[in-house]
Amino acid sequence: MKTICFFRHICSLNYVKMEDGESQLLSDEGQTPEPLLGSLDIFIFSLIAGLLIYWFLFRKKTEPVLDFKTFPAVYCSKNFFLKKLILLFSKDNRNVVVFYGSQTGTAEEFANRLAKDAHRYGMKGMAADPEEYDMSELSRLKEIPNSMAVFCMATYGEGDPTDNAQEFYDWMQGTDDDLEGVNFAVFGLGNKTYEHFNATGKYTDKRLAELGGKRVFDLGLGDDDSNLEEDFISWKEQFWPAVCEFFGVEATGEDSSIRQFELVVHNDINMNQVYTGEMGRLKSFQTQKPPFDSKNPFLAPVSVNRKLNKGGNRHLMHIELDIMDSKIRYDAGDHVAVYPINDAVVVSRIGERLGVDLDTAISLKNLDEECNKKHPFPCPTTYRTALSHYLDINNKPRKNVLYDLAQYASDPQEQENMRKMASASPEGKALYQSWVLDSERNILAILEDLPSLNPPIDHLCELLPRLQARYYSIASSSKVHPNSIHICAVVIEYTTETGRVYKGVATNWLKNKEVTENGHKHTVPMYVRRSQFRLPFKPSNPVIMIGPGTGIAPFMGFIQERAWQKEQGKDVGETILYFGCRHKNEDFLYQQELEEFERVGVLTQLNIAFSRDQERKIYVQHLLKKNKEQLWKLIHSNNAHIYVCGDARNMARDVHTAFYEIAEEVGGLTHTQAVDYFKKLMTKGRYSQDVWS
């Protein structure tokens, strides 16, 4: 600042201020005007100008100092993870921290159950999200006497860690830290219908041991294709005795329900301070600010909602979400996540059954003041909002919910049956399987069929799991549709064994988002989740796409993008689609678009399996075998990429088998060689799957 003032002073030497405020240039005598600048003036001016230019361009810039007080609490907690944890454990005699890698909420739920169980075994525990902490300080757990870390790790996609565990997974891959003295145990959550069953749990268990950690109990592997909760219960019933033996402690014998949250009723609150369905920031639905993600979804208007099938008793739909001005970007093959809302009729019936005013403003406050998770869902809110936006009321309750609710059944027989179903006894397992799972009773059905069961609604809200986002393969290409995201889905609706109509939460909610002519557009809270399901980097590579039913979704985006690439003058390889449906005249999805793509040469081949248009059912795997010579040449000689989308339990397995047989029959490989051949294709990214069970 002084330099600038000095410069102004030098430049004003030959000026005087007149009484009227105007400046005038005078000579030394104050009379005759002289040249504007003398040679000395020019020299001084040039010198100062040069110094100023040098000072601005070449001076060493001072590094900014971060003021941690201005950062959100999550930022700070991540950097001081185990320092805080060590303080908590030493102050409060805590022993167990349960980390979870969770995509749909199940691993988080299991972690919370383990943390609560610790109390029954004379210990104290807490559940923790690894994304919120600096896991590189994990080795410091050894500083806490009788401590251990438990990891509930779900596997997502093609053997990948969940989003919130990715950073921890990367750290494990790259670190050589010494974890000697760190006690650990791992329970993995996976699905055997997928190629890389429980890959993340297996890797976590193996890697922690390699780094010197002490395995307190064997790795548990839960299978969602069978009964994930039974696997978890069986594991933890052996896990806790092993932990007690390892640390030399005994169970306290306390077997009562343990409350984690206390109810706070807000009788006099400004409703502008109450959450109405937002995932993170209060009023984020009223004032939308990018970037948009799971904690800050974008409210996308529904611009198109049309029925795809021409007949049959199902409803298949094509929906387009308007993302104009959202700055959301996506690629063909990505997933769109939508946050659904529960059926308002079901919500109201729960309130009526429990005799509760659902519009009461409440908060559920964590009894553990040191815990990062202050509330089970955004608070303050109302019971109606919690049951509508935040809690899963449509799925079948897990055993721990039945166990904790049993105390509120006044009829001894009903209470006994609830406790029996929550137990691990063969009789209890059979009763839970038949009465809850097979009969598909949700929480409302259980309340209706057990008249004496009257739990406090706040405890019910504490026990119910969070309502999760639903993921759909995006059915469009951003090259062609940069301002919209397309969804292809089938509405889930059927009658259960009890005579009740089961309705899928998300698909029925989306179905009702009809586009009206009055200009009003329904909105959908959404964000984009990146995927590894990608077209080849070189457009000239052939692609073989197998997607029956709504599995065609990502391939609509792929085909659109291949058409765009051709329009750009690129050399586009063969584009082959295998699609399957029940009847040509009923559910041939996107028939007009696909036939047009074939007519103009974008689709090299359009192979359709109409499974029920003839006496013998025909599926996509049968068509693959029919074209086995051509397919083997494309795969083995022409570097073709294979993509499979749809049902993991049956279709994806059958397609696998068909390719093995093609390799054996045409390529002359043994079965073992064929399996290895396609595993290598997967490793190279030439065999990709986007499947669900």
Side-chain angles (χ1 to χ4, degrees):
M1 193 67 192
K2 290 181 179 178
T3 306
I4 297 172
C5 294
F6 176 63
F7 174 73
R8 288 175 178 166
H9 175 66
I10 292 294
C11 292
S12 63
L13 285 177
N14 289 336
Y15 284 83
V16 294
K17 198 82 168 180
M18 306 302 287
E19 287 183 3
D20 60 3
E22 294 294 324
S23 297
Q24 181 178 326
L25 182 67
L26 300 177
S27 68
D28 291 340
E29 292 79 26
Q31 297 173 358
T32 308
E34 291 289 328
L36 185 64
L37 291 173
S39 56
L40 180 61
D41 295 326
I42 293 172
F43 171 77
I44 294 173
F45 179 83
S46 301
L47 179 64
I48 293 172
L51 288 170
L52 283 172
I53 291 171
Y54 177 85
W55 186 78
F56 277 112
L57 295 181
F58 300 105
R59 66 189 174 91
K60 183 178 179 181
K61 293 180 173 60
T62 304
E63 293 293 331
V65 177
L66 292 176
D67 180 5
F68 286 95
K69 293 179 181 178
T70 65
F71 281 76
V74 169
Y75 181 91
C76 296
S77 68
K78 181 163 187 159
N79 287 276
F80 299 107
F81 159 48
L82 283 172
K83 296 173 186 174
K84 177 180 178 181
L85 200 61
I86 289 168
L87 178 64
L88 288 176
F89 276 35
S90 60
K91 181 177 73 172
D92 208 17
N93 296 317
R94 294 171 187 264
N95 313 77
V96 181
V97 56
V98 190
F99 296 105
Y100 56 85
S102 186
Q103 198 72 35
T104 62
T106 305
E108 180 181 0
E109 179 190 335
F110 285 0
N112 282 319
R113 287 165 68 172
L114 286 172
K116 288 175 69 174
D117 281 349
H119 181 79
R120 297 187 175 104
Y121 293 90
M123 299 176 241
K124 289 195 175 180
M126 63 179 288
D129 183 346
E131 190 175 36
E132 296 182 0
Y133 304 123
D134 182 0
M135 297 301 289
S136 67
E137 293 189 5
L138 185 62
S139 61
R140 292 196 60 196
L141 263 184
K142 69 183 75 170
E143 300 174 22
I144 307 169
N146 296 327
S147 67
M148 73 175 299
V150 184
F151 296 85
C152 291
M153 306 298 287
T155 297
Y156 156 71
E158 293 300 295
D160 302 317
T162 58
D163 293 344
N164 76 310
Q166 184 67 59
E167 215 173 302
F168 171 54
Y169 190 86
D170 293 342
W171 171 78
M172 285 193 294
Q173 288 184 311
T175 189
D176 57 358
D177 286 6
D178 181 9
L179 297 186
E180 184 178 357
V182 174
N183 304 311
F184 76 91
V186 179
F187 182 81
L189 296 82
N191 189 310
K192 280 187 177 174
T193 59
Y194 292 84
E195 178 73 18
H196 305 281
F197 173 62
N198 255 314
T200 303
K202 291 175 181 177
Y203 178 79
T204 302
D205 181 73
K206 173 175 169 284
R207 187 62 180 143
L208 293 177
E210 288 175 346
L211 293 170
K214 173 65 176 176
R215 185 185 290 111
V216 174
F217 188 63
D218 294 338
L219 167 68
L221 298 176
D223 179 16
D224 198 32
D225 187 46
S226 178
N227 191 319
L228 185 61
E229 187 178 29
E230 286 294 347
D231 294 336
F232 173 67
I233 292 173
S234 297
W235 177 81
K236 77 185 184 77
E237 284 191 340
Q238 300 174 67
F239 163 76
W240 283 117
V243 171
C244 290
E245 182 180 353
F246 183 83
F247 289 121
V249 298
E250 294 182 4
T252 61
E254 295 184 29
D255 206 26
S256 59
S257 174
I258 301 168
R259 290 296 300 266
Q260 187 178 355
F261 300 92
E262 65 176 346
L263 172 65
V264 178
V265 177
H266 304 288
N267 293 316
D268 186 17
I269 188 172
N270 184 342
M271 294 308 288
N272 287 325
Q273 299 173 348
V274 175
Y275 280 87
T276 57
E278 302 93 331
M279 295 299 136
R281 178 174 56 87
L282 185 66
K283 302 301 177 186
S284 60
F285 287 165
Q286 283 82 356
T287 54
Q288 295 258 275
K289 297 177 183 178
F292 297 105
D293 53 28
S294 60
K295 299 293 177 64
N296 182 38
F298 174 66
L299 285 181
V302 177
S303 57
V304 174
N305 186 347
R306 63 184 173 92
K307 187 176 181 179
L308 286 172
N309 53 313
K310 298 184 285 288
N313 56 6
R314 298 186 302 163
H315 184 100
L316 296 113
M317 55 191 175
H318 172 86
I319 290 174
E320 297 183 14
L321 304 178
D322 185 351
I323 57 171
M324 178 82 75
D325 300 326
S326 68
K327 298 183 179 179
I328 290 175
R329 300 291 178 264
Y330 73 95
D331 292 307
D334 283 341
H335 299 133
V336 58
V338 303
Y339 284 104
I341 301 173
N342 285 314
D343 188 336
V345 173
V346 176
V347 171
S348 295
R349 284 170 62 186
I350 290 175
E352 291 168 4
R353 168 64 179 79
L354 296 178
V356 175
D357 178 4
L358 294 179
D359 296 314
T360 303
I362 57 102
S363 289
L364 290 183
K365 183 181 176 183
N366 202 317
L367 292 166
D368 182 353
E369 295 181 356
E370 302 292 350
C371 185
N372 276 4
K373 187 177 181 179
K374 302 301 180 186
H375 312 283
F377 42 77
C379 291
T381 189
T382 65
Y383 287 125
R384 188 181 304 279
T385 298
L387 293 170
S388 300
H389 294 267
Y390 301 136
L391 299 173
D392 187 344
I393 61 174
N394 205 43
N395 273 327
K396 302 169 284 290
R398 296 194 187 276
K399 288 188 171 187
N400 68 301
V401 176
L402 297 182
Y403 178 86
D404 281 358
L405 291 181
Q407 62 185 306
Y408 302 114
S410 57
D411 183 286
Q413 187 60 52
E414 290 183 358
Q415 185 175 121
E416 181 185 343
N417 285 339
M418 291 184 72
R419 294 196 185 279
K420 185 182 295 181
M421 286 188 286
S423 73
S425 69
E427 186 182 359
K429 288 180 180 180
L431 184 58
Y432 178 76
Q433 181 68 42
S434 62
W435 199 79
V436 177
L437 299 183
D438 295 343
S439 300
E440 299 190 71
R441 283 181 168 89
N442 60 19
I443 191 61
L444 175 60
I446 287 173
L447 289 170
E448 289 177 339
D449 292 347
L450 297 175
S452 79
L453 179 60
N454 290 292
I457 192 170
D458 60 292
H459 197 182
L460 180 65
C461 289
E462 175 181 328
L463 293 171
L464 291 174
R466 285 292 297 268
L467 181 62
Q468 299 296 322
R470 274 31 176 198
Y471 298 96
Y472 298 95
S473 301
I474 295 177
S476 55
S477 166
S478 60
K479 299 291 191 297
V480 181
H481 299 283
N483 296 318
S484 64
I485 285 177
H486 301 181
I487 294 174
C488 172
V490 58
V491 176
I492 306 299
E493 184 172 338
Y494 56 87
T495 303
T496 69
E497 289 183 3
T498 64
R500 295 179 172 92
V501 176
Y502 177 88
K503 292 184 177 182
V505 173
T507 54
N508 280 274
W509 174 71
L510 286 170
K511 176 188 175 183
N512 294 326
K513 299 278 183 182
E514 296 179 351
V515 179
T516 59
E517 296 181 358
N518 62 8
H520 172 73
K521 289 186 177 181
H522 295 282
T523 58
V524 172
M526 53 76 66
Y527 67 95
V528 168
R529 184 175 70 180
R530 295 294 179 183
S531 167
Q532 300 300 317
F533 202 69
R534 289 283 185 270
L535 279 169
F537 180 74
K538 292 182 179 179
S540 58
N541 286 125
V543 297
I544 302 164
M545 303 171 290
I546 302 106
T550 56
I552 195 175
F555 302 137
M556 292 304 297
F558 280 12
I559 297 166
Q560 291 170 13
E561 192 142 324
R562 299 282 270 193
W564 176 84
Q565 289 170 342
K566 286 178 77 77
E567 290 176 0
Q568 301 301 307
K570 296 181 179 179
D571 178 19
V572 178
E574 292 190 59
T575 305
I576 300 171
L577 174 66
Y578 286 84
F579 172 68
C581 61
R582 296 178 180 179
H583 303 283
K584 181 176 182 179
N585 295 326
E586 285 187 6
D587 52 357
F588 186 172
L589 307 183
Y590 300 107
Q591 178 179 359
Q592 185 175 346
E593 294 95 322
L594 292 174
E595 290 176 345
E596 179 62 17
F597 279 129
E598 185 183 32
R599 187 188 69 79
V600 300
V602 173
L603 268 178
T604 314
Q605 282 186 26
L606 175 58
N607 305 282
I608 313 292
F610 301 110
S611 63
R612 304 182 188 184
D613 274 351
Q614 60 285 313
E615 185 177 346
R616 175 178 169 270
K617 290 183 179 180
I618 298 175
Y619 297 112
V620 287
Q621 60 267 25
H622 300 131
L623 299 186
L624 292 173
K625 290 293 298 294
K626 183 179 178 181
N627 299 328
K628 58 185 178 182
E629 286 84 5
Q630 178 211 20
L631 288 171
W632 181 249
K633 181 181 178 182
L634 286 170
I635 296 166
H636 191 64
S637 303
N638 297 352
N639 203 37
H641 287 233
I642 303 168
Y643 301 91
V644 182
C645 183
D647 167 51
R649 182 175 288 109
N650 298 310
M651 183 276 298
R653 283 179 174 175
D654 292 339
V655 167
H656 265 314
T657 301
F659 277 121
Y660 295 155
E661 292 173 355
I662 290 170
E664 294 167 32
E665 295 169 14
V666 185
L669 305 183
T670 66
H671 180 72
T672 301
Q673 289 172 332
V675 171
D676 289 341
Y677 183 91
F678 283 99
K679 279 187 176 180
K680 287 178 182 177
L681 289 188
M682 289 182 177
T683 303
K684 294 176 181 177
R686 285 183 51 206
Y687 193 120
S688 303
Q689 297 185 101
D690 182 4
V691 293
W692 55 86
S693 60

